Amino acid sequence: MPLAKERAYTVQDIYDLPDGERAELIDGVMYDMATPSRQHQRISMLLSTTINNYISSKKGNCEVYAAPFAVYLNQDDYNYFEPDITVVCDSSKLDDKGCQGAPDWIIEIVSPTTQARDYGIKLFKYRMAGVREYWIVDPRENRIAVYDFENENMYEPYTFSDKVPVGIYNGDLQIDFSELKGSL
């Protein structure tokens, strides 16, 4: 007797969720997204503002989006991501639904329910899709893991006492997490 197959979800299932419910879809598996904590939201706002202010001051072409913002990483029916912060420098990837393809820079802020995915499958998926830089901000562990995929998957660990250089801007933008920590 054959085993029952688990159902593969599609992007349409994400669209069909009731208002207020959010989920991500990774290879046809749906992951519910809990409401983020106040600290999580504060970090997201401070990082998004810092990045956006830098881009504006340089009159740059990149755009910053805070969650919820859809990323169709593989441009298929079985993958749908909502990173905490998404930076897209190629405007041809943007449409009314979100980002079609790999963003330039993704930041995930770890929460207890997302930790395994952020450090595991998302790290792999983002790298394979062509994301140039991926940060995992973990306030409970006082750690920022920086993956510079554009430069041979270089991994750099930082803490909330460090200034963290942004690889896609060749280090011209450095985010001072000690200042951020003082605002939390």
Side-chain angles (χ1 to χ4, degrees), residues 19-36:
D19 285 344
E21 280 190 38
R22 292 177 44 222
E24 289 185 307
L25 186 63
I26 304 173
D27 294 330
V29 177
M30 192 178 305
Y31 298 91
D32 291 330
M33 297 176 71
T35 302

Side-chain angles (χ1 to χ4, degrees), residues 12 22 28 34 74 80 97 108 111 119 149-150 172:
Q12 188 60 49
R22 292 177 44 222
N74 300 341
Y80 171 96
K97 290 185 176 185
E108 294 285 8
S111 64
Y119 283 103
F149 298 137
E150 193 169 49
D172 188 42

Side-chain angles (χ1 to χ4, degrees), residues 97-166:
K97 290 185 176 185
C99 179
Q100 304 294 328
D104 293 271
W105 181 17
I106 289 177
I107 299 173
E108 294 285 8
I109 302 163
V110 173
S111 64
T113 59
T114 66
Q115 184 171 357
R117 282 193 310 278
D118 292 341
Y119 283 103
I121 193 166
K122 285 185 180 183
L123 173 66
F124 174 77
K125 292 297 246 179
Y126 293 160
R127 179 177 182 208
M128 297 311 293
V131 171
R132 295 169 57 198
E133 188 163 355
Y134 175 44
W135 288 18
I136 304 172
V137 177
D138 191 339
R140 289 183 330 204
E141 296 294 326
N142 187 38
R143 177 177 53 212
I144 303 98
V146 174
Y147 296 89
D148 185 353
F149 298 137
E150 193 169 49
N151 293 305
E152 304 302 317
N153 193 26
M154 184 178 76
Y155 163 74
E156 270 312 310
Y158 294 92
T159 71
F160 273 66
S161 299
D162 296 324
K163 285 185 179 179
V164 182
V166 179

Side-chain angles (χ1 to χ4, degrees), residues 78-89:
Y78 301 100
N79 289 279
Y80 171 96
F81 296 83
E82 285 189 9
D84 291 310
I85 300 172
T86 305
V87 178
V88 182
C89 300

